[in-house]
Amino acid sequence: QNEEQSNVANLVTEKDLEHLCQLIEMKDGGPTWIQMMDCSTPGMRCQAWRREPKTGPPQYQTRTVFENATPEMVRDFFWDDEFRATWDDMLAYSAMIDECLTTGTMIVQWIRKFPFFCSDREYIIGRRIWESGGSYYCVTKGVPCLSVPRRAKPRRVDLYYSSWCIRAVESRMGDGRLIACEVLLFHHEEMGVPWEIAKLGVKHGMWGTVKKFEPGLRAYQKARASGVPLSRPAFMAQITTKINSGLHRSLAVNENSSEAKVAAAATSSNRSLGRKIPKWLIFGGVFVLACSIDRGLLTKAFIFGVARKFANIGKR
């Protein structure tokens, strides 16, 4: 049993933590982030950026700030697959495959629905949380799993990375109180869809997905306040690995400098967004994609609808 738990824990290691911290500090050597969204509700604000490495799928970064929420509650909320099913309509199925009670590492199976641009996808995800000074570093990524046979449908996504840093920040009230919670998310995956099509789908549906977070979180806060028992995933979220002082110094996150770097990257990249996009190029490229991709990935009506939006951007 101990050997089995050790094998589970070894699927998500300190190297993954180091990589997440490099992303947070913008020291991973990747290309510049381009801002693509800045939306808010009275209790939440979300900013999003995208970048495209030379190899691999597009990568996304979001910064979401929830008012009146603690890092511990937000951590449990995003880890709680049982409750997620009540607010995330893209999650069709979830199951825990294995766990390590020493480190809190879990292996879970997800099946997700993608109504816009592809059929259902299966994920085998390893995840683990590190803690330092009230901040939580939550790593989730695709991992191999021989105990769950690969099937023709739904198609399995092997390359998957989705990790967060969750920490308390000052409320937008500006009174100095750290009663808001910031979530820095870094995400990319290879779904087997042409990357240009995937980018259109993400751009079209991102805010529709993100704005479900807040009502889900508020319902979760109420449920926990009423004494609802912890689900198994939420219980596992509370088993964290403490970052030792030496590692913490080498990976220390300078919140102000990291936010400044993101802001500077967004400002410089926004200049390129103002360039006129030739309408013939948009419609020509989308027409080729619409006629060449498999049926069921994306409807032609949706493709041309998004293309028209991009043509309008080009005019502006």
Side-chain angles (χ1 to χ4, degrees), residues 13 19-20 43 59 86 105 124 132 150 152 189-191 196 207 235-236 240 244 272 282 284 294 302 304 306 315:
T13 67
H19 178 60
L20 173 57
Q59 299 178 357
T86 68
T105 306
I124 305 297
S132 176
R150 191 181 297 268
E189 59 183 283
E190 177 57 90
M191 295 182 292
E196 292 301 317
W207 177 238
F235 169 78
M236 293 296 293
T240 63
N244 65 58
S272 66
I282 295 171
D294 293 338
F302 172 72
F304 284 108
V306 176
K315 289 178 183 178

Side-chain angles (χ1 to χ4, degrees), residues 94-107:
S94 68
M96 185 184 295
I97 299 171
D98 212 339
E99 63 184 28
C100 172
L101 291 173
T102 302
T103 63
T105 306
M106 301 168 58
I107 303 176

Side-chain angles (χ1 to χ4, degrees), residues 142-293:
V143 296
C145 183
L146 298 177
S147 64
V148 181
R150 191 181 297 268
R151 299 171 291 173
K153 291 184 178 181
R155 179 172 179 168
R156 182 171 296 179
V157 175
D158 293 309
L159 176 57
Y160 175 81
Y161 182 85
S162 192
S163 298
W164 308 276
C165 173
I166 300 176
R167 57 196 177 194
V169 293
E170 186 177 350
S171 167
R172 67 170 62 165
M173 300 295 291
D175 56 7
R177 292 185 298 162
L178 302 179
I179 58 172
C181 180
E182 175 191 69
V183 181
L184 299 176
L185 167 70
F186 298 88
H187 179 97
H188 66 269
E189 59 183 283
E190 177 57 90
M191 295 182 292
V193 176
W195 294 342
E196 292 301 317
I197 293 292
K199 286 193 298 183
L200 291 179
V202 170
K203 183 177 179 67
H204 180 81
M206 176 173 280
W207 177 238
T209 298
V210 170
K211 67 182 180 182
K212 297 176 184 176
F213 291 172
E214 192 192 4
L217 174 62
R218 304 310 176 194
Y220 193 66
Q221 288 173 318
K222 290 180 180 178
R224 290 284 294 271
S226 70
V228 172
L230 283 179
S231 69
R232 188 65 181 179
F235 169 78
M236 293 296 293
Q238 299 186 9
I239 305 175
T240 63
T241 303
K242 302 297 188 295
I243 298 176
N244 65 58
S245 58
L247 183 62
H248 180 249
R249 280 194 297 272
S250 66
L251 301 177
V253 177
N254 186 319
E255 184 175 328
N256 293 329
S257 65
S258 65
E259 289 182 16
K261 290 176 183 177
V262 170
T267 300
S268 63
S269 63
N270 279 345
R271 298 192 187 104
S272 66
L273 297 179
R275 298 172 184 168
K276 186 174 181 179
I277 305 171
K279 188 160 66 173
W280 68 265
L281 179 61
I282 295 171
F283 278 100
V286 173
F287 178 80
V288 171
L289 288 171
C291 295
S292 62
I293 61 175

Side-chain angles (χ1 to χ4, degrees), residues 46-57:
C46 182
Q47 300 164 284
W49 297 264
R50 185 186 73 231
R51 69 180 185 181
E52 299 180 42
K54 292 181 180 179
T55 59

